[in-house]
Amino acid sequence: MLTRISPSSAVLNRSALLWLALLMSTPTVAQSLNGFDLQDALVPVDKILQGGPPRDGIPSIDHPKFISSGADRFIEPSSLVVGLALQGESRAYPISILNWHELVNDRIGTQSVVISYCPLCGTALVFDAQVQGQTLQFGVSGLLYNSDLLLYDRQQQSLWSQITAEAISGPFKGQRLVLLPAVLTTWQRWQTEHPDTQLLSTDTGYIRDYHRSPYGDYDNSERLYFPVEFLSRRYHPKERVLGIEIEGVFKAYPFAELAKREPQNSLLDTVAGKSLRIEYDLPSRTGRVFSDSNEELLVINSFWFAWYGFHPHTEVYSFTP
């Protein structure tokens, strides 16, 4: 027996099928990744991506060991380190180790700190580990936002953007970590300035080849592994820049522009009405920024694409003869 379908029923059926097809074709945004609750995150959830390794798949160094500067058998003078001077002590954390671990939970004197490095963005930042009276310990979430490391605190499971220093989800959402003055520089320069410095040891508790980068030629390649929200082709994506923020004004100093000033290695500039002195070393692509009262200011040394990805309205220093 055949059933007759009226034209109106056929229209309804077609509408239902179209609606079902739309539902099936609309991508669902995951509200949880790597075990982290992303509901009501401060950044678009669909822009939070899995980097590949699971949570803690890249292990942080939680019990760092150090050697004296005279026992530096594994590091070259030109190798990059994160230099930190705090409470009368100085320590250096080689990028060759941070490439494999990204985070070091450390304590200097009475202060707990976390040293962070994102190999994808080339950003080395050191934070005070105290938040709202709690001393936090951090791990690598395995997640990225704008190609940048999202670290997480093991106490409350909040996710923190490295470059913005802000918790984007979890109980600490909206809180910011305090950035501490540190410098990305060469081991030779840091050792000269701090002869009594300690150096992070390769005795990390993990078997890794610290003479080799797991990222190959990424630092010099134009390719990006992950998409970013804002992208500028004004410079090579991995061009290193010194990025600063003064009273809400962001400015980048690309080394491609600073190189045009050779043989000079310092620059006077004004940002947001404040006089600055930028000191830089062209061969190592490192630098520091000081106020007119000689106070060292916070600076982010990063790849151009990473700085622009978070600060698309940044001012940019451009050399004019």
Side-chain angles (χ1 to χ4, degrees):
M1 178 180 178
L2 297 176
T3 302
R4 182 182 179 86
I5 301 177
S6 67
S8 59
S9 297
V11 170
L12 288 174
N13 286 339
R14 284 198 299 272
S15 298
L17 288 172
L18 287 171
W19 177 245
L20 180 60
L22 179 62
L23 285 176
M24 293 178 67
S25 65
T26 301
T28 58
V29 177
Q31 295 300 307
S32 176
L33 286 174
N34 286 6
F36 296 101
D37 184 2
L38 302 180
Q39 291 190 39
D40 302 319
L42 295 181
V43 300
V45 175
D46 61 338
K47 305 295 184 184
I48 299 175
L49 304 177
Q50 291 176 301
R55 177 199 297 222
D56 295 318
I58 297 174
S60 61
I61 298 175
D62 300 331
H63 304 286
K65 297 178 181 179
F66 295 86
I67 59 177
S68 65
S69 62
D72 55 333
R73 300 287 185 265
F74 74 95
I75 188 171
E76 298 295 329
S78 60
S79 297
L80 290 178
V81 301
V82 181
L84 176 64
L86 196 64
Q87 296 193 3
E89 296 185 42
S90 61
R91 293 181 183 174
Y93 306 83
I95 294 301
S96 59
I97 297 178
L98 291 173
N99 270 329
W100 292 93
H101 297 281
E102 300 190 6
L103 298 178
V104 179
N105 291 291
D106 201 2
R107 186 175 181 84
I108 301 181
T110 60
Q111 189 160 5
S112 295
V113 297
V114 57
I115 291 81
S116 69
Y117 182 68
C118 179
L120 297 178
C121 293
T123 41
L125 303 175
V126 177
F127 303 105
D128 186 338
Q130 287 269 342
V131 178
Q132 295 184 340
Q134 296 185 55
T135 299
L136 304 181
Q137 187 182 70
F138 293 87
V140 181
S141 71
L143 302 177
L144 303 166
Y145 171 63
N146 255 359
S147 195
D148 184 45
L149 161 69
L150 287 177
L151 51 160
Y152 79 96
D153 66 87
R154 295 190 171 114
Q155 283 75 8
Q156 299 292 337
Q157 307 289 298
S158 293
L159 287 171
W160 303 78
S161 167
Q162 185 215 26
I163 288 181
T164 68
E166 184 177 29
I168 64 166
S169 70
F172 285 121
K173 183 173 69 175
Q175 294 290 317
R176 289 185 181 272
L177 296 171
V178 175
L179 187 62
L180 299 176
V183 60
L184 181 66
T185 186
T186 62
W187 170 234
Q188 183 178 48
R189 181 179 288 266
W190 181 258
Q191 191 179 28
T192 299
E193 295 176 355
H194 303 272
D196 296 327
T197 190
Q198 293 182 308
L199 179 68
L200 180 65
S201 168
T202 55
D203 183 10
T204 62
Y206 300 92
I207 299 175
R208 300 289 189 275
D209 183 357
Y210 295 120
H211 296 284
R212 179 184 67 84
S213 170
Y215 297 89
D217 67 346
Y218 175 83
D219 287 6
N220 300 311
S221 169
E222 290 197 2
R223 71 181 183 278
L224 304 182
Y225 289 166
F226 297 91
V228 291
E229 198 163 359
F230 304 99
L231 186 64
S232 166
R233 297 293 184 184
R234 182 170 176 176
Y235 300 101
H236 189 291
K238 310 299 174 49
E239 171 67 23
R240 279 208 169 269
V241 304
L242 299 175
I244 60 170
E245 177 190 0
I246 305 292
E247 297 183 356
V249 177
F250 297 92
K251 188 163 185 177
Y253 295 84
F255 277 90
E257 299 291 344
L258 297 176
K260 299 173 184 177
R261 307 183 73 253
E262 283 191 293
Q264 299 182 63
N265 57 10
S266 66
L267 165 70
L268 298 179
D269 198 14
T270 301
V271 178
K274 306 294 183 181
S275 298
L276 306 177
R277 184 179 81 258
I278 297 90
E279 296 184 355
Y280 53 89
D281 179 65
L282 290 171
S284 64
R285 294 299 196 259
T286 62
R288 307 168 86 164
V289 179
F290 299 87
S291 69
D292 56 2
S293 60
N294 210 36
E295 175 190 3
E296 184 165 4
L297 304 180
L298 300 173
V299 61
I300 294 180
N301 188 328
S302 75
F303 295 142
W304 162 247
F305 90 87
W307 178 259
Y308 187 88
F310 281 89
H311 309 297
H313 302 297
T314 185
E315 297 180 1
V316 180
Y317 169 75
S318 180
F319 174 73
T320 51

